[in-house]
Amino acid sequence: MKEKNFLDTVMDFEQQLESMQQQFRELKAVVAHTMEEHHALQLENHHLRTRLDELHKAVPETAAVDPVKLKKAVMDIGEGYDNLARLYHEGYHVCHVHFGSSRKGDDCLFCLSFLNKQN
C-alpha cells in the first residue's frame, strides 16, 4: 500500500510539473508579444519625435507669434493623408475597423479603400 501511495505522489508531482511548464510557455508567449509591442511603440515614438522636430524647424519664427500663421505652417492640406499613408506603409492599420493595430505584413482592403477615397 505504501508503494502505491508513493507512485500516486510521483504521478501528481509529474502532472504539476507539466502544468507549470504549460504556464511557463504561455508566460513566455505573453512576454514575447509585449516586447514586440514595446519595440514597435519605441520605433513609432522615434518617428513621431523626428517628424515633430522637422515640423518645428519648418515653422518660421514670425509664425510662432501668430497662432493662425502657425497652424497654417504646420498643417498642409494633404499632411493628414500623408501621415495615414506613412503609417499604413509602416505596417499599421488606418481603417476604422482595426485602426492602429499591426497589419503583420498583409494588405487590408478596408485600409486601401479608405486611402483611395482620400485621393
Side-chain angles (χ1 to χ4, degrees):
M1 191 74 163
K2 215 175 193 181
E3 247 180 70
K4 184 159 175 81
N5 190 15
F6 178 73
L7 186 57
D8 288 341
T9 305
V10 170
M11 289 175 59
D12 287 341
F13 183 65
E14 181 182 21
Q15 288 177 346
Q16 289 176 353
L17 282 175
E18 288 174 0
S19 173
M20 286 174 44
Q21 284 178 328
Q22 180 61 30
Q23 289 176 351
F24 185 69
R25 282 191 289 270
E26 291 170 1
L27 181 62
K28 280 182 12 181
V30 168
V31 168
H33 179 70
T34 304
M35 288 178 66
E36 287 174 4
E37 283 183 344
H38 176 72
H39 178 68
L41 289 173
Q42 279 184 323
L43 186 61
E44 182 179 8
N45 191 19
H46 174 72
H47 288 302
L48 290 173
R49 287 185 189 279
T50 303
R51 181 69 176 137
L52 186 62
D53 289 342
E54 289 172 3
L55 289 175
H56 281 291
K57 289 177 184 175
V59 175
E61 290 298 321
T62 58
V65 177
D66 186 4
V68 174
K69 287 183 182 178
L70 177 65
K71 187 173 182 178
K72 285 181 182 178
V74 172
M75 290 298 289
D76 294 329
I77 299 286
E79 185 175 352
Y81 173 80
D82 292 342
N83 287 337
L84 289 174
R86 180 183 49 80
L87 285 173
Y88 181 78
H89 289 292
E90 288 178 3
Y92 296 97
H93 284 277
V94 295
C95 62
H96 69 284
V97 180
H98 304 288
F99 184 80
S101 61
S102 178
R103 287 190 300 116
K104 309 242 187 281
D106 298 331
D107 284 334
C108 172
L109 295 178
F110 293 114
C111 291
L112 292 174
S113 173
F114 176 75
L115 290 172
N116 285 334
K117 277 191 231 177
Q118 299 297 319
N119 288 334

